[in-house]
Amino acid sequence: QVRVAESGGDLVQPGGSLRLACAASGSIFKIKGMKWYRQAPGLLRELVAVVGSDGVPDYADFAKGRFTITIDSAENTGYLIMNNLKPEDTADYSCNLNIQPYPASSPLDYWGQGTQVTVSA
């Protein structure tokens, strides 16, 4: 069984930085990819960043130049590093990990519970 948990959300002032973590535990052979989403109150969930097994990241326009998505395979943890945060970045951030539990198994998507980021003076 695989479990995923986000952490790192906090209240931060505009211009500040946060590092969100997405930690996987349980039966993990390989993390094939990761996506970060966010959802602000009253708005639809939107994709923030994605990285696949090739390691090439892709970002939403609002995240380019400010956010960095990475995976530490040794720790089975993915990260979203967010710099120069703005009030409009306030949202619940959740991660999706595409994990291959065993060598002979197909990869599956696993979700965490979300972590709240609030950007306010």
Side-chain angles (χ1 to χ4, degrees):
Q1 185 176 3
V2 176
R3 286 176 290 276
V4 173
E6 298 98 335
S7 62
D10 204 347
L11 170 64
V12 63
Q13 292 186 344
S17 298
L18 284 175
R19 187 182 75 163
L20 306 183
C22 178
S25 59
S27 300
I28 301 166
F29 172 67
K30 188 174 184 178
I31 297 177
K32 305 285 284 185
M34 176 174 66
K35 298 177 182 177
W36 281 94
Y37 292 85
R38 72 182 188 182
Q39 186 168 20
L43 299 180
L44 296 175
R45 186 178 67 183
E46 58 184 349
L47 181 64
V48 177
V50 58
V51 62
S53 57
D54 60 2
V56 177
D58 196 16
Y59 301 93
D61 286 343
F62 63 80
K64 290 178 180 177
R66 299 190 299 132
F67 295 0
T68 302
I69 186 172
T70 64
I71 297 176
D72 186 329
S73 297
E75 295 185 355
N76 288 326
T77 300
Y79 297 95
L80 182 69
I81 301 166
M82 304 186 295
N83 296 315
N84 190 23
L85 284 163
K86 305 174 181 180
E88 52 264 41
D89 294 318
T90 295
D92 184 78
Y93 286 71
S94 57
C95 67
N96 170 284
L97 288 175
N98 187 250
I99 295 173
Q100 188 177 358
Y102 303 100
S105 64
S106 298
L108 298 172
D109 286 334
Y110 297 87
W111 289 88
Q113 81 289 349
T115 185
Q116 178 66 35
V117 171
T118 302
V119 184
S120 176

